Amino acid sequence: MRRSEPMLPGVWRDDTRYPQVTHIEHVARNAGVSGEWPEWTAPHLVERLAERGITSPWSHQTAAADLARSGRDVIIATGTASGKSLAFLMPAVDAIDAGGTVLYLSPTKALAQDQLRWITDLGLSGMRAAVYDGDTAPEERTWAREHAGYLLTNPDMLHHGMLPRHGAWARFLRRLRYVVIDEAHRYRGVFGSHVAQILRRLRRVCARYRSEPVFVLASATSGSPAESATRLTGVPVTAISEDGSPRPGLSVALVEPEMTDLTGEQGAPIRRTAPSQAAEMLVDLVRDRVRTLVFVRSRQGAEVVALTAQRMLTEQGEHDLVERVAAYRGGYLASDRRDLEEALRSGELLGLASTNALELGVDISGLDAVLIAGWPGTLASLWQQAGRAGRRGNDALAVFIARDDPLDTYLAHHPEAIFGRSVEATVLDPENPHILGPHLCAAAQELPITRADFDLFGESVAERLDDLVARGLLRKRPRGWFWTSHERASDLADIRGSGGPPVQIVDTGSGQLLGEIDEAAAHGTVHPGAVYLHQGITHLVDDLDLAEGVALVHTAEPPYSTWARDTTDITIRSVLRQETWPSGASVHFGEVEVARQVVGFLKRDVRTGSVLGEQSLDMPERTLQTRAVWWTLTETGENRLRKEDVGLLGAAHAAEHASIGMLPLLATCDRWDIGGVSTSLHPDTGRLTVFVYDGYEGGAGFAERGYAAAREWLTATRAVIADCECEQGCPSCIQSPKCGTGNEPLSKSGALRLLDEVLGGAHEAGD
């Protein structure tokens, strides 16, 4: 393919404007490969598409549609804006014209609404489409249940609303021909594992009504898409991954914000924050009238970027542009989100700072640039977000701005880790006992479980059923296993993996309910003294009452943000797998018990990120049964390090922090999905031991992925420590923002020697 250099917008043509750029990759324009309309395609669909300038499908659309129409379960794993929606709409319209129904599942409300808008705009005769989600009014829900042929919903509503009341949906389920699972790569970890069990329950209920729908999945390009889709649905899935759509030219820039004159914990240098860098770049692009979307890691970060950009435009006298910059995130009213989407589509807004709520397939045409403030978690998400730009077919710009974080730093200096490798395979574990058990209860309430269902739910179903009977949740009878309560069994499964009932956040001044947060996250987010941002308004938390499930806040404008600190103890319960390396180091994977407690929080300057102070807290301890990967040294290796005056605790602690930061390179997780513990002498191993564990009850598959790729993982961990320009260690390599001991002790040089001992390689100085 011929490489080209797309035209960079405005200020980006001056390569001296941003010396923080470490690399620019130019992705060539691609003309695309056309296909033919399948002979079975509905003529009225072809006519409506032709009116909109779509005269033929792309090759991957035809291939996927033909497979689905023939009864094959299929996943379309192609790039952003490659027309995956048309690939599943062709067989969907054909099925509805023949009297069938289609169920469309989306991980977000915004995407379902966008799909409904597109289908409605097509004006297809006989296509009765409706959204069924938490924003749907009661009378509209009734209409959808009784009349819709194309139902757009999400896993939450399927879990709580449809499957428990499947009798009311009998007419729809009896005629169900296709289940469309859009943005399937988002179903990973705990959430993906829950959705996998919901889909198995759906297949079981459909069989009750003598229907066997075909699964059609749409995903960003991903590693092993057929395998991931098969694990998600429980049925063999064929992958279509050859993308036939045309692609605009795209310049992808990697940016590492500069070191500042400020210092953080233990005197470590700190970089300019990614949101601050993104706000400056957003202002430059908006002034050039470049329509730009900024992806920010958190709801608070999205608000901060928008507010900072607005302030900078005001200071520069660009008053007419201030109102053309806004924030977008979950938690806003549905009507507000729709207004923002339309304003960005129309060009009324030039800059929008968003969480990953806009990563998915919402059709926002006309974007020229995307700024990605912080690693989005996976390569799949990076390309999904970058693909938001260039939707009009014009050349586009995407910028990845590294946070002060080991993985971000590594990627800013190793472009081959982004541009030279395939995206990750999705990690999920449907047979996690803490996930499987609640879904067996829900399934038993829907229809009594029989031995014929064992193959559907997995190998450990018999053991789980015995446990549920012993706990009094199910009752075993000759005809199967029955739910014993009058309560709704689906409430037992917290499918978003939050780990507890929600905590309501209430403004004490107005009495207004600002939002909700799950109980597990509340400890570190709305603890007393925490800064909480809601729709541009900053609040301080006065009190967190976990027993009542409420956090009381008041409006304030502190010049700082807050970061929770916690302490952790870990106990090994069982070893499931282990191996010994040539160095003598051993790597293990198994079940552990983790005791965690939030003990305080840091205050960081909102502009610079520098630490302003620390405050202690007295929060209750939480216990987690999960899975972990851990590694140990031999006694000989430990003695060798001691003779070199390497402090084992500081070395292990630094290696733990860096390895937590680097695991997302190999597993589809975020560093906040995992945790770690390090010690120079652990009582269960009798050795120096470094643990990294899944931060979810029962595990989420991330630690298992770390075990499987341990050598690659620890090699990359060593590289990020060695490559960092700091002398003693900083947040870009070995410091952690959530360290309960204040990042002390830490030894950068010790971590390098420790990892050399583990990996069995001697690295020269400066390597």
Side-chain angles (χ1 to χ4, degrees):
M1 180 183 296
R2 182 176 64 86
R3 292 174 63 84
S4 64
E5 296 198 2
M7 180 65 72
L8 297 174
V11 68
W12 281 85
R13 298 170 199 160
D14 175 11
D15 59 9
T16 65
R17 177 68 178 86
Y18 294 121
Q20 307 96 321
V21 174
T22 61
H23 180 81
I24 296 181
E25 185 87 4
H26 299 292
V27 181
R29 179 180 290 271
N30 183 358
V33 180
S34 294
E36 299 290 337
W37 294 115
E39 61 179 16
W40 50 264
T41 308
H44 64 114
L45 174 60
V46 175
E47 292 171 7
R48 293 292 183 272
L49 293 171
E51 292 170 1
R52 287 155 178 76
I54 302 173
T55 56
S56 63
W58 303 111
S59 56
H60 66 279
Q61 293 172 325
T62 301
D66 272 333
L67 278 173
R69 175 59 157 59
S70 70
R72 299 270 295 279
D73 301 286
V74 60
I75 180 169
I76 315 149
T78 55
T80 306
S82 59
K84 294 185 281 286
S85 296
L86 179 56
F88 56 71
L89 185 63
M90 284 190 278
V93 172
D94 174 69
I96 290 171
D97 286 350
T101 59
V102 175
L103 179 65
Y104 170 95
L105 292 177
S106 160
T108 67
K109 297 175 183 177
L111 180 53
Q113 289 287 348
D114 190 71
Q115 284 286 318
L116 178 64
R117 185 183 303 111
W118 180 56
I119 292 170
T120 302
D121 289 347
L122 281 175
L124 298 169
S125 60
M127 174 66 83
R128 292 180 294 186
V131 165
Y132 178 73
D133 63 21
D135 295 335
T136 307
E139 62 274 13
E140 294 173 350
R141 294 188 183 192
T142 301
W143 188 94
R145 184 173 62 250
E146 295 177 354
H147 302 291
Y150 195 102
L151 188 74
L152 303 102
T153 188
N154 51 55
D156 311 75
M157 294 299 287
L158 180 59
H159 170 59
H160 287 298
M162 294 181 67
L163 292 177
R165 301 180 61 238
H166 60 83
W169 290 89
R171 180 176 175 275
F172 180 88
L173 294 170
R174 189 173 289 115
R175 299 180 294 128
L176 186 59
R177 287 282 307 280
Y178 295 104
V179 176
V180 175
I181 303 174
D182 209 352
E183 305 295 344
H185 62 281
R186 293 294 297 273
Y187 298 115
R188 57 185 174 86
V190 168
F191 181 41
S193 301
H194 277 293
V195 173
Q197 290 296 348
I198 293 169
L199 295 177
R200 284 156 176 76
R201 286 164 47 205
L202 173 63
R203 289 169 48 210
R204 181 170 174 264
V205 167
C206 285
R208 165 68 175 77
Y209 295 103
R210 295 185 175 84
S211 66
E212 188 177 355
V214 172
F215 286 92
V216 184
L217 300 93
S219 169
T221 53
S222 64
S224 307
E227 179 182 337
S228 298
T230 297
R231 193 162 178 77
L232 180 65
T233 62
V235 296
V237 178
T238 302
I240 299 294
S241 54
E242 191 69 31
D243 192 340
S245 64
R247 316 300 297 171
L250 179 67
S251 294
V252 184
L254 308 183
V255 172
E256 182 181 43
E258 71 275 16
M259 287 286 192
T260 67
D261 295 330
L262 304 170
T263 57
E265 292 181 280
Q266 314 303 327
I270 60 175
R271 297 187 186 278
R272 184 182 183 186
T273 66
S276 173
Q277 182 82 58
E280 178 187 325
M281 292 178 169
L282 174 61
V283 167
D284 286 339
L285 291 165
V286 166
R287 291 180 64 187
D288 272 2
R289 303 306 193 270
V290 176
R291 208 177 302 179
T292 306
L293 179 61
V294 186
F295 283 108
V296 192
R297 298 274 302 174
S298 67
R299 293 181 174 189
Q300 179 171 323
E303 301 270 11
V304 167
V305 168
L307 290 171
T308 303
Q310 290 170 345
R311 175 181 54 79
M312 294 173 70
L313 288 167
T314 300
E315 293 171 351
Q316 295 171 16
E318 301 283 0
H319 301 289
D320 60 318
L321 295 178
V322 173
E323 296 301 319
R324 301 185 73 180
V325 174
Y328 179 107
R329 63 170 178 81
Y332 286 177
L333 295 175
S335 57
D336 292 339
R337 294 198 303 269
R338 308 292 175 260
D339 290 345
L340 287 167
E341 292 163 19
E342 183 54 39
L344 188 60
R345 263 191 295 270
S346 68
E348 178 185 345
L349 281 178
L350 283 173
L352 189 65
S354 172
T355 60
N356 62 3
L358 279 180
E359 173 185 321
L360 305 183
V362 179
D363 183 15
I364 303 173
S365 58
L367 290 179
D368 305 300
V370 167
L371 306 180
I372 303 169
W375 181 244
T378 66
L379 270 176
S381 288
L382 178 77
W383 289 116
Q384 191 79 355
Q385 292 181 4
R388 297 283 92 184
R391 299 300 289 262
R392 291 179 297 188
N394 298 334
D395 291 345
L397 170 70
V399 183
F400 164 60
I401 304 168
R403 291 175 302 160
D404 216 357
D405 175 89
L407 178 56
D408 288 41
T409 300
Y410 179 84
L411 293 170
H413 292 279
H414 292 81
E416 72 279 0
I418 293 177
F419 304 107
R421 58 188 281 255
S422 61
V423 298
E424 310 89 344
T426 303
V427 175
L428 64 153
D429 181 16
E431 292 191 50
N432 176 330
H434 297 277
I435 291 172
L436 176 58
H439 286 284
L440 289 175
C441 290
Q445 186 174 36
E446 291 152 9
L447 297 166
I449 294 174
T450 68
R451 295 190 181 277
D453 298 318
F454 281 22
D455 289 342
L456 179 69
F457 288 110
E459 296 178 0
S460 61
V461 63
E463 180 182 352
R464 293 279 70 77
L465 287 172
D466 289 344
D467 176 63
L468 295 170
V469 170
R471 291 162 56 191
L473 294 171
L474 296 184
R475 181 177 295 112
K476 186 178 180 182
R477 291 288 183 262
R479 292 191 299 112
W481 286 260
F482 291 75
W483 174 241
T484 60
S485 171
H486 295 295
E487 302 298 322
R488 194 170 65 168
S490 63
D491 289 339
L492 295 175
D494 178 15
I495 76 168
R496 298 281 175 172
S498 57
V503 171
Q504 296 187 322
I505 303 167
V506 178
D507 186 335
T508 55
S510 65
Q512 179 185 4
L513 175 63
L514 300 181
E516 293 183 342
I517 188 169
D518 60 79
E519 191 270 342
H523 288 243
T525 305
V526 289
H527 55 75
V531 173
Y532 178 76
L533 198 63
H534 179 76
Q535 295 192 0
I537 300 175
T538 308
H539 301 78
L540 276 175
V541 180
D542 299 312
D543 184 48
L544 171 61
D545 188 332
L546 293 170
E548 295 295 327
V550 63
L552 302 177
V553 307
H554 70 273
T555 56
E557 295 185 3
Y560 57 84
S561 58
T562 52
W563 294 76
R565 312 292 291 266
D566 63 16
T567 59
T568 308
D569 291 318
I570 195 165
T571 304
I572 297 172
R573 293 303 184 198
S574 69
V575 178
L576 301 177
R577 270 174 273 166
Q578 67 181 66
E579 64 177 33
T580 301
W581 288 355
S583 65
S586 58
V587 184
H588 307 76
F589 170 68
E591 298 172 329
V592 298
E593 180 179 285
V594 180
R596 296 180 297 177
Q597 184 177 22
V598 173
V599 295
F601 62 94
L602 293 180
K603 296 179 180 179
R604 292 182 182 269
D605 187 286
V606 292
R607 293 197 180 192
T608 66
S610 60
V611 177
L612 302 177
E614 182 174 358
Q615 187 168 326
S616 62
L617 289 171
D618 183 19
M619 300 284 287
E621 184 179 83
R622 302 181 71 246
T623 301
L624 179 71
Q625 306 293 332
T626 186
R627 293 184 172 190
V629 54
W630 65 93
W631 46 268
T632 65
L633 273 185
T634 62
E635 184 178 1
T636 301
E638 290 183 12
N639 289 335
R640 194 155 39 232
L641 293 178
R642 288 191 184 95
K643 289 178 181 178
E644 297 176 22
D645 293 326
V646 173
L648 296 186
L649 183 56
H653 194 192
E656 172 218 327
H657 283 180
S659 63
I660 288 173
M662 292 303 294
L663 184 55
L665 181 68
L666 302 167
T668 49
C669 69
D670 182 272
R671 72 174 297 157
W672 300 93
D673 292 329
I674 53 181
V677 176
S678 53
T679 175
S680 58
L681 178 63
H682 192 272
D684 293 337
T685 65
R687 293 277 181 271
L688 175 152
T689 311
V690 174
F691 294 85
V692 176
Y693 62 86
D694 292 341
Y696 297 94
E697 196 72 27
F702 305 135
E704 185 173 12
R705 175 63 182 143
Y707 174 82
R711 181 167 289 277
E712 181 184 359
W713 172 32
L714 295 183
T715 299
T717 298
R718 188 198 185 281
V720 75
I721 298 173
D723 289 347
C724 187
E725 61 195 273
C726 73
E727 293 184 6
Q728 301 298 322
C730 70
S732 292
C733 56
I734 63 172
Q735 287 194 347
S736 169
K738 57 178 182 175
C739 178
T741 62
N743 285 297
E744 182 68 27
L746 289 177
S747 172
K748 181 175 180 178
S749 60
L752 291 173
R753 277 295 297 119
L754 172 59
L755 288 167
D756 284 344
E757 282 290 338
V758 171
L759 294 167
H763 294 267
E764 297 179 0
D767 186 15

